[in-house]
C-alpha cells in the first residue's frame, strides 16, 4: 500500500455506525456496488479482508496467474471514458495487470474512503425488531445497515485439505490463493504441488522453471487448451474501442457473458470423422469455440467423447513419455463439465528433466511428513509444498461470514442440503440481503465482470424502487424460491455437468451436499428473467413497509 492509501485507511476506521448499506468485499463487485450506491446518495461501508482492492486479483498472486477471458471483455463497462482510456498489455491479462486495473478503478472513483481494509466480517444478523442488519467484524466494529450486500466472490474461501501431519512439515507451504505478495524464491528448492485444476495448470510451468525439481501430485487430470496468449494487438484494441457498446451488448445477451462463436446447428454424430477433426482443429485454442463446433457436445455423451478424445490425442502428441501422456489424458468425465483450463506450455512442461508427475489417484497421499510427503507407494523429500487445491466454492464465502436471518435462522442451517435462492440474488428469510453472483445465478459459468454489473445494476434499481414507493423490505416468497431452485436443477440436468465430480457440485469438499450451484441457463436468458421479474412488479418477491 502507498503512504496515501495507508493514510486513507487510517482515517477511515469506522466513525459511523449506521449505514444505508454494508457491502462485503472490495473486488470488482464490491467496488462497483459502492460506486452505484454513492451515485444514489446512499451511505455505504465496504469491509474487505485484504489490505487492498481487487478481490480474486488481490489474493491470487501465484506464479502464472492469469485470466482466461479476453482482457477487452474482462473489464468493467459502466464508464465509457475508463473503457477508452485503459490499455491492456496482453490478450489475456496477468494478475499484476488486473490488480493494477482494480487500483485504478478505486482511485478514479475515489472509492477507498468508504472501504475499510484488513477487516473481516464475522457476523451479520437481521434484527427482527428494527428490520436492520447488524454487522460485526474481527476488528471489533459493530455497525447496522438497511441493506446487507455480499460481494465476497465465489472462489475466495480457500480449501486446504485436512492432510494428516500437515503441521509437522518443516519446509514452507502455501495455498496458491494466499501466495506472498513479495513472491517466493524457489531457486535450488525441491518443490511439490498438489492439484492440477486451472490454478495448478497455470502455476506448474512457472514453478518448473523456478525450482530445482518439481513433483506434481495429480489426482484428476484436466482438459486444457493452449491459450496462445499474445501482447495486445493495437489494431485489435482499436477496433474494440471503436465498437465497444455493440460488443458489450452482445456479451450481455450471450450465453456466458463474453462473445463466443454461435453454436453449430449440426450434431457431431451426423458429421464424418474428417469433418469432425477439421472442426475441432479449427477451434483449437478457444474452448468456447471447441464446445460450439457441434450442437450436442455439451449434452450428448457420444458427441462429447469425440472432442475429449481429440484433446487427449493433442496431449499424446505433446508429451514425449507415453506413460506420462496417458496419465495426463483426462478420462472418465466429459469435457466441459469441469472448467476447461487454458495454459501456457503446461503439457510441454512434462518433457523437462526436472519435473516428475506422481499419480495420487492410484497411490493416494497418506500424510505430510516433516521432510515432505508420503503416498501409499513412495516418499518424497520437499522443501516447499504448494496447495493448488481450490476453494469451498460459492457457499463457502457466505457461510464464513456467519449470516443469520429472521427468527435466528442461520444461512448455513437453511442451506444444509444445498443453496436455495430466488434468482441467485436473494433467499427467503433474509430480507434486504442481496448476494452478488450468488448460487443459482450464472456467476462462475460466465464472464464475471458481465454478471457482476448486471447484479449490481439490478440491486440498485431495486433499492431505488423501494425508496421511491415508500417500501422498507424486500424478501422472496417461498414458492418463487422453490420454483427457481427446481429450474436451476432442471437445466443443469439437461447438460452433462452433473457427470463430473466438480466444485460446481461441491464434490471437492468432504460432506458438502452434491447440488449443482450455478445457473447454466445462460447470461442473456437470465438477464431477461430478472428484468421480467421487475416488469411484473417484482413477481416472486414480497415488498412490505
Ligand atoms: O481449484 P480446483 P483451482 N488430494 O478445485 C486437487 C477458477 N480459476 O484453484 O480434481 C489430492 O479446480 C483436485 O483434484 P480432484 C476457475 O473457475 C480461474 O485450480 O478433486 N488432490 C484438483 O486437481 C477454476 O475452475 C483461472 O481429484 C487434491 C485441484 O486440487 C477455479 O478457479 C485460474 C486434493 C483443485 O482444483 C478453481 O480452480 C485459476 C487432495 N486431498 C482458477 N484436494 C483463470 O481465470 C484437492 N485436490 C484462468
Amino acid at each position: 500500500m502507498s503512504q496515501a492509501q495507508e493514510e486513507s485507511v487510517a482515517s477511515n476506521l469506522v466513525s459511523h455506525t449506521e449505514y444505508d448499506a454494508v457491502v462485503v468485499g472490495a473486488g470488482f463487485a464490491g467496488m462497483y456496488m459502492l460506486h452505484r450506491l454513492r451515485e444514489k446518495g446512499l451511505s455505504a461501508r465496504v469491509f474487505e479482508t485484504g489490505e487492498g482492492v481487487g478481490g480474486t486479483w488481490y489474493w491470487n498472486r501465484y506464479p502464472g496467474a492469469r485470466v482466461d477471458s479476453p482482457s477487452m471483455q474482462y473489464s468493467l463497462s459502466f464508464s465509457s471514458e475508463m473503457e477508452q482510456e485503459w490499455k491492456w498489455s496482453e490478450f489475456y491479462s496477468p494478475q499484476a495487470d488486473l490488480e493494477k486495473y482494480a487500483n485504478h478503478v478505486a482511485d478514479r472513483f475515489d472509492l477507498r474512503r468508504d472501504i475499510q481494509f484488513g477487516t473481516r466480517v464475522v457476523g451479520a444478523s437481521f434484527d427482527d425488531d428494527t428490520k436492520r442488519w447488524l454487522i460485526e467484524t474481527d476488528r471489533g466494529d459493530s455497525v447496522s445497515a438497511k441493506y446487507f450486500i455480499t460481494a465476497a466472490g465465489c472462489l475466495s474461501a480457500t480449501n486446504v485439505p485436512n492432510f494428516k501431519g500437515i503441521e509437522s512439515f518443516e519446509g514452507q507451504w502455501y495455498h496458491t490463493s494466499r501466495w506472498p505478495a513479495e513472491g517466493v524464491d524457489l531457486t535450488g528448492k525441491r518443490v511439490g504441488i498438489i492439484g492440477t485444476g486451472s490454478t495448478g495448470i497455470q502455476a506448474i510451468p512457472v514453478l518448473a522453471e523456478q525450482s530445482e525439481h518439481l513433483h506434481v501430485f495429480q489426482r484428476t487430470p484436466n482438459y486444457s487448451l493452449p491459450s496462445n496468449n499474445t501482447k495486445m494487438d493495437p489494431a485489435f484494441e482499436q477496433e474494440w474501442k471503436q465498437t465497444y457498446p455493440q460488443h458489450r451488448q452482445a456479451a450481455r445477451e450471450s450465453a456466458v457473458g463474453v462473445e463466443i462463436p454461435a453454436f453449430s446447428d449440426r450434431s457431431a454424430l451426423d458429421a464424418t470423422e474428417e469433418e469432425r477433426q477439421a472442426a475441432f482443429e479449427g477451434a483449437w485454442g478457444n474452448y468456447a469455440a471447441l464446445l460450439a463446433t457441434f450442437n450436442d457436445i455439451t449434452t450428448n455423451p457420444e458427441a462429447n467423447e469425440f472432442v475429449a478424445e481429440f484433446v487427449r490425442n493433442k496431449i499424446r502428441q505433446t508429451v514425449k513419455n507415453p506413460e506420462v501422456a496417458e496419465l495426463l489424458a483426462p478420462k472418465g468425465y466429459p469435457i466441459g463439465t469441469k472448467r476447461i483450463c487454458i495454459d501456457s506450455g503446461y503439457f510441454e512442461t512434462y518433457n523437462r528433466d526436472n519435473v516428475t508427475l506422481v499419480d495420487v489417484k492410484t497411490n493416494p497421499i497418506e500424510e505430510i511428513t516433516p521432510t515432505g510427503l508420503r503416498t501409499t507407494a513412495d516418499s518424497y523429500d520437499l522443501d516447499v509444498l504448494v496447495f493448488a487445491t481450490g476453494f469451498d466454492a460459492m457457499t463457502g464465502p457466505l457461510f464464513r461470514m456467519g449470516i443469520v436471518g429472521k427468527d435466528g435462522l442461520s444461512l448455513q442451517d437453511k442451506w444444509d442440503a444445498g443453496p436455495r435462492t430466488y434468482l441467485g440474488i436473494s433467499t427467503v428469510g433474509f430480507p434486504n440481503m442481496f448476494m452478488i453472483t450468488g448460487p443459482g445465478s450464472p456467476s462462475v459459468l460466465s464472464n464475471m465482470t458481465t454478471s457482476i454489473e448486471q447484479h449490481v445494476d439490478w440491486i440498485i434499481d431495486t433499492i431505488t424502487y423501494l425508496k421511491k414507493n415508500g417500501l422498507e423490505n424486500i424478501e422472496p416468497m417461498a414458492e418463487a424460491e422453490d420454483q427457481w431452485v427446481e429450474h436451476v436443477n432442471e437445466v443443469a440436468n439437461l447438460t452433462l455437468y452433473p457427470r463430473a465430480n466438480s466444485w460446481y457440485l461441491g464434490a471437492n469438499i468432504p460432506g458438502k451436499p452434491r447440488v449443482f450451484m450455478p445457473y447454466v441457463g445462460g447470461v442473456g436468458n437470465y438477464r431477461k428473467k430478472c428484468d421480467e421479474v421487475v416488469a411484473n412488479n417484482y413477481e416472486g418477491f414480497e415488498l412490505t413497509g
Side-chain angles (χ1 to χ4, degrees), residues 89-140:
S89 62
E90 298 182 43
F91 188 81
Y92 293 112
S93 299
Q95 175 270 338
D97 282 9
L98 285 155
E99 194 187 3
K100 202 163 126 198
Y101 175 69
N103 277 289
H104 173 75
V105 175
D107 292 337
R108 187 181 180 118
F109 298 98
D110 187 23
L111 298 177
R112 282 177 220 281
R113 64 187 156 87
D114 288 322
I115 304 174
Q116 186 171 318
F117 293 101
T119 307
R120 174 183 288 281
V121 168
V122 292
S125 28
F126 184 75
D127 184 322
D128 292 311
D129 297 326
T130 62
K131 312 275 185 247
R132 289 180 70 83
W133 283 90
L134 303 174
I135 294 103
E136 297 190 332
T137 77
D138 63 350
R139 289 181 54 172

Side-chain angles (χ1 to χ4, degrees), residues 256-304:
V256 291
V258 279
E259 283 184 62
I260 56 168
F263 266 73
S264 154
D265 55 6
R266 192 175 179 205
S267 161
L269 308 184
D270 294 338
T272 64
E273 183 56 19
E274 290 70 33
E275 286 170 333
R276 282 193 293 264
Q277 292 298 315
F280 300 153
E281 201 62 66
W284 186 236
N286 180 337
Y287 67 85
L290 194 63
L291 296 180
T293 44
F294 294 96
N295 64 7
D296 47 2
I297 304 284
T298 58
T299 52
N300 182 328
E302 216 184 317
N304 187 284

Side-chain angles (χ1 to χ4, degrees), residues 46-360:
V46 179
F47 291 111
E48 165 58 54
T49 307
E51 296 295 348
V53 295
T56 289
W57 305 107
Y58 169 87
W59 292 108
N60 286 271
R61 298 165 185 275
Y62 60 85
R66 187 179 290 285
V67 71
D68 64 356
S69 294
S71 312
M72 296 305 292
Q73 304 199 56
Y74 190 86
S75 53
L76 296 166
S77 71
F78 71 89
S79 161
S80 57
E81 292 80 18
M82 182 166 72
E83 213 172 45
Q84 290 299 322
E85 283 165 23
W86 185 259
K87 285 187 84 63
W88 295 107
S89 62
E90 298 182 43
F91 188 81
Y92 293 112
S93 299
Q95 175 270 338
D97 282 9
L98 285 155
E99 194 187 3
K100 202 163 126 198
Y101 175 69
N103 277 289
H104 173 75
V105 175
D107 292 337
R108 187 181 180 118
F109 298 98
D110 187 23
L111 298 177
R112 282 177 220 281
R113 64 187 156 87
D114 288 322
I115 304 174
Q116 186 171 318
F117 293 101
T119 307
R120 174 183 288 281
V121 168
V122 292
S125 28
F126 184 75
D127 184 322
D128 292 311
D129 297 326
T130 62
K131 312 275 185 247
R132 289 180 70 83
W133 283 90
L134 303 174
I135 294 103
E136 297 190 332
T137 77
D138 63 350
R139 289 181 54 172
D141 308 296
S142 184
V143 304
S144 90
K146 179 85 201 148
Y147 303 106
F148 177 60
I149 304 173
T150 65
C154 297
L155 294 163
S156 54
T158 55
N159 169 41
V160 178
N162 192 14
F163 288 115
K164 186 179 158 203
I166 191 167
E167 67 297 332
S168 73
F169 185 55
E170 287 168 359
Q172 302 146 285
W173 69 262
Y174 306 94
H175 187 280
T176 42
S177 78
R178 292 294 179 272
W179 201 259
E182 64 280 12
V184 180
D185 183 4
L186 297 174
T187 318
K189 298 268 168 68
R190 297 161 304 175
V191 179
I193 179 166
I194 303 173
T196 50
S198 297
T199 300
I201 281 177
Q202 287 188 330
I204 284 163
V206 191
L207 296 179
E209 279 169 15
Q210 294 178 349
S211 55
E212 182 183 297
H213 197 96
L214 180 69
H215 277 93
V216 178
F217 298 96
Q218 171 190 271
R219 191 163 66 181
T220 309
N222 256 295
Y223 297 96
S224 185
L225 274 56
S227 71
N228 300 325
N229 186 38
T230 55
K231 293 279 170 221
M232 183 58 71
D233 171 7
F236 175 80
E237 181 187 359
Q238 186 66 10
E239 188 277 319
W240 265 78
K241 286 190 171 172
Q242 279 165 0
T243 49
Y244 241 139
Q246 292 91 312
H247 283 304
R248 297 294 198 183
Q249 195 51 32
R252 290 180 195 120
E253 290 168 7
S254 70
V256 291
V258 279
E259 283 184 62
I260 56 168
F263 266 73
S264 154
D265 55 6
R266 192 175 179 205
S267 161
L269 308 184
D270 294 338
T272 64
E273 183 56 19
E274 290 70 33
E275 286 170 333
R276 282 193 293 264
Q277 292 298 315
F280 300 153
E281 201 62 66
W284 186 236
N286 180 337
Y287 67 85
L290 194 63
L291 296 180
T293 44
F294 294 96
N295 64 7
D296 47 2
I297 304 284
T298 58
T299 52
N300 182 328
E302 216 184 317
N304 187 284
E305 179 55 22
F306 290 128
V307 190
E309 187 58 14
F310 177 82
V311 178
R312 287 182 211 120
N313 282 333
K314 288 280 186 191
I315 298 169
R316 291 172 186 130
Q317 287 156 19
T318 308
V319 179
K320 290 186 184 142
N321 180 325
E323 272 176 45
V324 175
E326 221 42 55
L327 269 181
L328 288 167
K331 293 168 201 111
Y333 67 95
I335 183 168
T337 52
K338 286 183 170 213
R339 173 69 163 255
I340 299 182
C341 310
I342 62 166
D343 69 82
S344 303
Y346 175 64
F347 293 109
E348 291 82 348
T349 298
Y350 292 92
N351 295 330
R352 294 173 66 109
D353 292 336
N354 73 331
V355 175
T356 307
L357 180 67
V358 182
D359 171 16
V360 296

Side-chain angles (χ1 to χ4, degrees), residues 7-24:
E7 278 167 13
S8 151
V9 171
S11 69
N12 269 300
L13 292 177
V14 169
S15 51
H16 301 86
T17 53
E18 296 202 344
Y19 297 96
D20 291 319
V22 157
V23 179
V24 187

